[in-house]
mmCIF file of all heavy atoms in Angstrom:
data_model
loop_
_atom_site.group_PDB
_atom_site.id
_atom_site.type_symbol
_atom_site.label_atom_id
_atom_site.label_comp_id
_atom_site.label_asym_id
_atom_site.label_seq_id
_atom_site.Cartn_x
_atom_site.Cartn_y
_atom_site.Cartn_z
ATOM 1 N N GLU A 9 0.831 -1.211 0.000
ATOM 2 C CA GLU A 9 0.000 0.000 0.000
ATOM 3 C C GLU A 9 0.862 1.257 0.000
ATOM 4 O O GLU A 9 0.617 2.209 -0.756
ATOM 5 C CB GLU A 9 -0.914 -0.009 1.226
ATOM 6 C CG GLU A 9 -1.623 1.293 1.509
ATOM 7 C CD GLU A 9 -2.279 1.311 2.884
ATOM 8 O OE1 GLU A 9 -2.199 0.290 3.604
ATOM 9 O OE2 GLU A 9 -2.865 2.342 3.236
ATOM 10 N N SER A 10 1.896 1.278 0.841
ATOM 11 C CA SER A 10 2.750 2.464 0.951
ATOM 12 C C SER A 10 3.546 2.700 -0.328
ATOM 13 O O SER A 10 3.784 3.848 -0.725
ATOM 14 C CB SER A 10 3.687 2.322 2.148
ATOM 15 O OG SER A 10 4.480 1.158 2.039
ATOM 16 N N VAL A 11 3.967 1.627 -0.992
ATOM 17 C CA VAL A 11 4.715 1.766 -2.242
ATOM 18 C C VAL A 11 3.813 2.344 -3.327
ATOM 19 O O VAL A 11 4.219 3.248 -4.072
ATOM 20 C CB VAL A 11 5.272 0.397 -2.690
ATOM 21 C CG1 VAL A 11 5.993 0.524 -4.029
ATOM 22 C CG2 VAL A 11 6.211 -0.165 -1.636
ATOM 23 N N PHE A 12 2.585 1.842 -3.418
ATOM 24 C CA PHE A 12 1.653 2.341 -4.421
ATOM 25 C C PHE A 12 1.294 3.818 -4.175
ATOM 26 O O PHE A 12 1.005 4.553 -5.119
ATOM 27 C CB PHE A 12 0.382 1.489 -4.442
ATOM 28 C CG PHE A 12 0.556 0.157 -5.108
ATOM 29 C CD1 PHE A 12 0.205 -1.018 -4.443
ATOM 30 C CD2 PHE A 12 1.078 0.063 -6.382
ATOM 31 C CE1 PHE A 12 0.366 -2.252 -5.050
ATOM 32 C CE2 PHE A 12 1.241 -1.176 -6.999
ATOM 33 C CZ PHE A 12 0.885 -2.335 -6.335
ATOM 34 N N SER A 13 1.308 4.246 -2.920
ATOM 35 C CA SER A 13 1.003 5.648 -2.632
ATOM 36 C C SER A 13 2.074 6.566 -3.222
ATOM 37 O O SER A 13 1.779 7.653 -3.722
ATOM 38 C CB SER A 13 0.889 5.875 -1.111
ATOM 39 O OG SER A 13 2.156 5.796 -0.489
ATOM 40 N N VAL A 14 3.337 6.131 -3.173
ATOM 41 C CA VAL A 14 4.433 6.922 -3.757
ATOM 42 C C VAL A 14 4.361 6.901 -5.277
ATOM 43 O O VAL A 14 4.500 7.929 -5.943
ATOM 44 C CB VAL A 14 5.799 6.389 -3.280
ATOM 45 C CG1 VAL A 14 6.931 7.049 -4.057
ATOM 46 C CG2 VAL A 14 5.978 6.644 -1.799
ATOM 47 N N ILE A 15 4.115 5.701 -5.848
ATOM 48 C CA ILE A 15 4.073 5.566 -7.311
ATOM 49 C C ILE A 15 2.941 6.394 -7.911
ATOM 50 O O ILE A 15 3.139 7.160 -8.865
ATOM 51 C CB ILE A 15 3.919 4.086 -7.708
ATOM 52 C CG1 ILE A 15 5.168 3.297 -7.297
ATOM 53 C CG2 ILE A 15 3.689 3.958 -9.214
ATOM 54 C CD1 ILE A 15 5.041 1.802 -7.514
ATOM 55 N N THR A 16 1.732 6.250 -7.356
ATOM 56 C CA THR A 16 0.591 6.995 -7.898
ATOM 57 C C THR A 16 0.725 8.492 -7.631
ATOM 58 O O THR A 16 0.302 9.318 -8.437
ATOM 59 C CB THR A 16 -0.732 6.479 -7.307
ATOM 60 O OG1 THR A 16 -0.655 6.488 -5.867
ATOM 61 C CG2 THR A 16 -1.013 5.059 -7.771
ATOM 62 N N GLY A 17 1.331 8.861 -6.487
ATOM 63 C CA GLY A 17 1.564 10.280 -6.206
ATOM 64 C C GLY A 17 2.519 10.891 -7.202
ATOM 65 O O GLY A 17 2.349 12.039 -7.640
ATOM 66 N N ALA A 18 3.541 10.140 -7.596
ATOM 67 C CA ALA A 18 4.521 10.635 -8.567
ATOM 68 C C ALA A 18 3.906 10.743 -9.959
ATOM 69 O O ALA A 18 4.133 11.723 -10.687
ATOM 70 C CB ALA A 18 5.736 9.712 -8.599
ATOM 71 N N ILE A 19 3.086 9.743 -10.354
ATOM 72 C CA ILE A 19 2.505 9.733 -11.698
ATOM 73 C C ILE A 19 1.390 10.756 -11.857
ATOM 74 O O ILE A 19 1.355 11.518 -12.828
ATOM 75 C CB ILE A 19 1.964 8.319 -12.029
ATOM 76 C CG1 ILE A 19 3.123 7.317 -12.107
ATOM 77 C CG2 ILE A 19 1.189 8.335 -13.348
ATOM 78 C CD1 ILE A 19 2.673 5.881 -12.288
ATOM 79 N N ILE A 20 0.482 10.802 -10.883
ATOM 80 C CA ILE A 20 -0.710 11.644 -11.027
ATOM 81 C C ILE A 20 -0.469 13.075 -10.537
ATOM 82 O O ILE A 20 -0.864 14.041 -11.187
ATOM 83 C CB ILE A 20 -1.900 11.021 -10.273
ATOM 84 C CG1 ILE A 20 -2.209 9.629 -10.858
ATOM 85 C CG2 ILE A 20 -3.140 11.915 -10.365
ATOM 86 C CD1 ILE A 20 -3.286 8.870 -10.109
ATOM 87 N N LEU A 21 0.185 13.204 -9.376
ATOM 88 C CA LEU A 21 0.379 14.535 -8.780
ATOM 89 C C LEU A 21 1.776 15.103 -9.032
ATOM 90 O O LEU A 21 2.067 16.214 -8.595
ATOM 91 C CB LEU A 21 0.127 14.462 -7.262
ATOM 92 C CG LEU A 21 -1.258 13.978 -6.826
ATOM 93 C CD1 LEU A 21 -1.347 13.930 -5.314
ATOM 94 C CD2 LEU A 21 -2.350 14.866 -7.407
ATOM 95 N N HIS A 22 2.620 14.326 -9.705
ATOM 96 C CA HIS A 22 4.000 14.754 -10.004
ATOM 97 C C HIS A 22 4.781 15.075 -8.735
ATOM 98 O O HIS A 22 5.602 15.998 -8.720
ATOM 99 C CB HIS A 22 4.004 15.959 -10.955
ATOM 100 C CG HIS A 22 3.198 15.742 -12.202
ATOM 101 N ND1 HIS A 22 3.564 14.844 -13.197
ATOM 102 C CD2 HIS A 22 2.008 16.290 -12.608
ATOM 103 C CE1 HIS A 22 2.650 14.853 -14.160
ATOM 104 N NE2 HIS A 22 1.700 15.706 -13.830
ATOM 105 N N GLU A 23 4.516 14.310 -7.673
ATOM 106 C CA GLU A 23 5.260 14.484 -6.431
ATOM 107 C C GLU A 23 6.637 13.836 -6.574
ATOM 108 O O GLU A 23 6.800 12.850 -7.284
ATOM 109 C CB GLU A 23 4.516 13.849 -5.260
ATOM 110 C CG GLU A 23 3.181 14.503 -4.958
ATOM 111 C CD GLU A 23 2.440 13.813 -3.821
ATOM 112 O OE1 GLU A 23 2.831 12.692 -3.460
ATOM 113 O OE2 GLU A 23 1.473 14.393 -3.307
ATOM 114 N N ALA A 24 7.602 14.405 -5.891
ATOM 115 C CA ALA A 24 8.964 13.861 -5.961
ATOM 116 C C ALA A 24 9.648 14.043 -4.617
ATOM 117 O O ALA A 24 9.317 14.938 -3.841
ATOM 118 C CB ALA A 24 9.761 14.557 -7.065
ATOM 119 N N MET A 25 10.609 13.161 -4.325
ATOM 120 C CA MET A 25 11.412 13.257 -3.117
ATOM 121 C C MET A 25 12.880 13.213 -3.496
ATOM 122 O O MET A 25 13.246 12.709 -4.568
ATOM 123 C CB MET A 25 11.085 12.100 -2.159
ATOM 124 C CG MET A 25 9.722 12.194 -1.500
ATOM 125 S SD MET A 25 9.425 10.839 -0.313
ATOM 126 C CE MET A 25 9.157 9.476 -1.448
ATOM 127 N N ASP A 26 13.730 13.728 -2.625
ATOM 128 C CA ASP A 26 15.164 13.621 -2.848
ATOM 129 C C ASP A 26 15.631 12.221 -2.435
ATOM 130 O O ASP A 26 14.864 11.455 -1.846
ATOM 131 C CB ASP A 26 15.926 14.710 -2.085
ATOM 132 C CG ASP A 26 15.642 14.687 -0.590
ATOM 133 O OD1 ASP A 26 15.170 13.646 -0.078
ATOM 134 O OD2 ASP A 26 15.877 15.703 0.083
ATOM 135 N N PRO A 27 16.883 11.838 -2.761
ATOM 136 C CA PRO A 27 17.376 10.500 -2.398
ATOM 137 C C PRO A 27 17.242 10.194 -0.904
ATOM 138 O O PRO A 27 17.004 9.050 -0.519
ATOM 139 C CB PRO A 27 18.850 10.547 -2.832
ATOM 140 C CG PRO A 27 18.868 11.531 -3.956
ATOM 141 C CD PRO A 27 17.861 12.575 -3.571
ATOM 142 N N ARG A 28 17.388 11.231 -0.066
ATOM 143 C CA ARG A 28 17.246 11.050 1.369
ATOM 144 C C ARG A 28 15.844 10.548 1.712
ATOM 145 O O ARG A 28 15.662 9.650 2.534
ATOM 146 C CB ARG A 28 17.538 12.383 2.066
ATOM 147 C CG ARG A 28 17.359 12.401 3.579
ATOM 148 C CD ARG A 28 17.489 13.841 4.066
ATOM 149 N NE ARG A 28 17.255 13.968 5.486
ATOM 150 C CZ ARG A 28 18.206 13.960 6.397
ATOM 151 N NH1 ARG A 28 19.469 13.812 6.031
ATOM 152 N NH2 ARG A 28 17.907 14.094 7.682
ATOM 153 N N GLY A 29 14.828 11.129 1.065
ATOM 154 C CA GLY A 29 13.452 10.717 1.309
ATOM 155 C C GLY A 29 13.177 9.297 0.858
ATOM 156 O O GLY A 29 12.492 8.534 1.537
ATOM 157 N N TYR A 30 13.722 8.928 -0.320
ATOM 158 C CA TYR A 30 13.526 7.570 -0.819
ATOM 159 C C TYR A 30 14.218 6.552 0.081
ATOM 160 O O TYR A 30 13.713 5.434 0.274
ATOM 161 C CB TYR A 30 14.035 7.446 -2.252
ATOM 162 C CG TYR A 30 13.127 8.109 -3.262
ATOM 163 C CD1 TYR A 30 13.527 9.244 -3.961
ATOM 164 C CD2 TYR A 30 11.843 7.605 -3.497
ATOM 165 C CE1 TYR A 30 12.684 9.858 -4.879
ATOM 166 C CE2 TYR A 30 10.992 8.213 -4.410
ATOM 167 C CZ TYR A 30 11.417 9.337 -5.099
ATOM 168 O OH TYR A 30 10.569 9.940 -5.990
ATOM 169 N N LEU A 31 15.381 6.912 0.642
ATOM 170 C CA LEU A 31 16.054 6.021 1.585
ATOM 171 C C LEU A 31 15.197 5.839 2.834
ATOM 172 O O LEU A 31 15.088 4.729 3.383
ATOM 173 C CB LEU A 31 17.425 6.590 1.967
ATOM 174 C CG LEU A 31 18.230 5.782 2.994
ATOM 175 C CD1 LEU A 31 18.461 4.358 2.499
ATOM 176 C CD2 LEU A 31 19.556 6.478 3.301
ATOM 177 N N GLY A 32 14.557 6.925 3.285
ATOM 178 C CA GLY A 32 13.647 6.835 4.425
ATOM 179 C C GLY A 32 12.481 5.909 4.134
ATOM 180 O O GLY A 32 12.088 5.087 4.974
ATOM 181 N N CYS A 33 11.915 6.016 2.919
ATOM 182 C CA CYS A 33 10.822 5.135 2.513
ATOM 183 C C CYS A 33 11.269 3.673 2.533
ATOM 184 O O CYS A 33 10.528 2.785 2.976
ATOM 185 C CB CYS A 33 10.338 5.502 1.111
ATOM 186 S SG CYS A 33 9.425 7.061 1.017
ATOM 187 N N LEU A 34 12.488 3.436 2.048
ATOM 188 C CA LEU A 34 13.017 2.075 2.002
ATOM 189 C C LEU A 34 13.164 1.494 3.402
ATOM 190 O O LEU A 34 12.820 0.334 3.647
ATOM 191 C CB LEU A 34 14.364 2.070 1.284
ATOM 192 C CG LEU A 34 15.033 0.699 1.090
ATOM 193 C CD1 LEU A 34 14.138 -0.207 0.234
ATOM 194 C CD2 LEU A 34 16.401 0.860 0.450
ATOM 195 N N LEU A 35 13.657 2.315 4.344
ATOM 196 C CA LEU A 35 13.809 1.845 5.724
ATOM 197 C C LEU A 35 12.453 1.546 6.361
ATOM 198 O O LEU A 35 12.285 0.532 7.046
ATOM 199 C CB LEU A 35 14.563 2.893 6.552
ATOM 200 C CG LEU A 35 16.082 2.948 6.352
ATOM 201 C CD1 LEU A 35 16.661 4.161 7.086
ATOM 202 C CD2 LEU A 35 16.738 1.666 6.852
ATOM 203 N N ILE A 36 11.483 2.430 6.149
ATOM 204 C CA ILE A 36 10.148 2.225 6.716
ATOM 205 C C ILE A 36 9.506 0.974 6.125
ATOM 206 O O ILE A 36 8.949 0.130 6.839
ATOM 207 C CB ILE A 36 9.252 3.452 6.465
ATOM 208 C CG1 ILE A 36 9.745 4.642 7.290
ATOM 209 C CG2 ILE A 36 7.791 3.144 6.823
ATOM 210 C CD1 ILE A 36 8.989 5.934 7.018
ATOM 211 N N PHE A 37 9.615 0.816 4.805
ATOM 212 C CA PHE A 37 9.023 -0.359 4.158
ATOM 213 C C PHE A 37 9.686 -1.637 4.656
ATOM 214 O O PHE A 37 9.015 -2.639 4.925
ATOM 215 C CB PHE A 37 9.166 -0.246 2.642
ATOM 216 C CG PHE A 37 8.518 -1.383 1.895
ATOM 217 C CD1 PHE A 37 7.141 -1.540 1.903
ATOM 218 C CD2 PHE A 37 9.283 -2.289 1.184
ATOM 219 C CE1 PHE A 37 6.539 -2.579 1.226
ATOM 220 C CE2 PHE A 37 8.690 -3.341 0.504
ATOM 221 C CZ PHE A 37 7.315 -3.481 0.516
ATOM 222 N N GLY A 38 11.017 -1.609 4.803
ATOM 223 C CA GLY A 38 11.725 -2.775 5.323
ATOM 224 C C GLY A 38 11.294 -3.115 6.733
ATOM 225 O O GLY A 38 11.099 -4.292 7.073
ATOM 226 N N ALA A 39 11.123 -2.085 7.570
ATOM 227 C CA ALA A 39 10.688 -2.311 8.950
ATOM 228 C C ALA A 39 9.292 -2.914 8.986
ATOM 229 O O ALA A 39 9.014 -3.835 9.769
ATOM 230 C CB ALA A 39 10.713 -0.986 9.725
#
């Protein structure tokens, strides 16, 4: 669910994060 929220946010709303943010997402998803 959390991964799809980032993907759809990027495609539809053109949201973007810096590498630091994506690393944070990766840690949260892993946890």
